């Protein structure tokens, strides 16, 4: 199922589902281990985790698009992920 994202000059663009999730509002000093534990308990191990230095953001790649979609739905349904 396609999702849309906003474009810089207005409008929206359809994008295909991805195995990569963009996390926002993370603690600035979050560790890869904390993120791996958060996702690993329910969605399996993370393939790759990139913590953006000095920003409260990270990128997480899961093993399949299906697992990424399930994680997205799970967190959109009100279960706020708690790292600490």
């Amino acid at each position: 199922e396609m999702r849309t994202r906003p474009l810089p000059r207005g409008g929206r663009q359809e994008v295909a589902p991805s195995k990569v999730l963009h996390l926002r509002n993370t603690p600035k000093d979050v560790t890869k281990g904390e993120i791996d534990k958060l996702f690993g308990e329910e969605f399996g191990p993370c393939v790759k985790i990139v913590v953006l230095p000095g920003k409260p953001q990270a990128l997480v790649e899961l093993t399949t698009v299906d697992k990424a979609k399930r994680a997205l739905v799970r967190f959109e349904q009100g279960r706020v992920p708690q790292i600490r």
Side-chain angles (χ1 to χ4, degrees):
E1 123 192 6
M2 298 289 276
R3 294 184 70 115
T4 62
R5 69 175 180 184
L7 295 173
R9 297 179 186 231
R12 298 196 66 80
Q13 176 185 26
E14 285 191 357
V15 291
S18 171
K19 296 186 288 186
V20 178
L21 299 174
H22 179 195
L23 307 183
R24 289 182 276 198
N25 299 320
T26 64
K28 286 187 179 182
D29 61 343
V30 69
T31 67
K32 291 179 181 181
E34 290 173 316
I35 293 171
D36 192 46
K37 182 178 178 187
L38 175 70
F39 283 89
E41 291 174 355
E42 191 169 345
F43 306 106
C46 298
V47 173
K48 187 172 185 178
I49 300 169
V50 177
V51 176
L52 303 178
K55 294 185 176 184
Q57 301 176 36
L59 301 172
V60 179
E61 181 180 351
L62 298 178
T63 55
T64 67
V65 170
D66 183 58
K67 287 181 181 181
K69 286 168 54 176
R70 285 191 347 214
L72 188 61
V73 167
R74 179 80 153 135
F75 295 136
E76 283 180 341
Q77 289 178 341
R79 178 180 170 237
V80 177
Q82 194 69 33
I83 291 178
R84 296 187 185 142

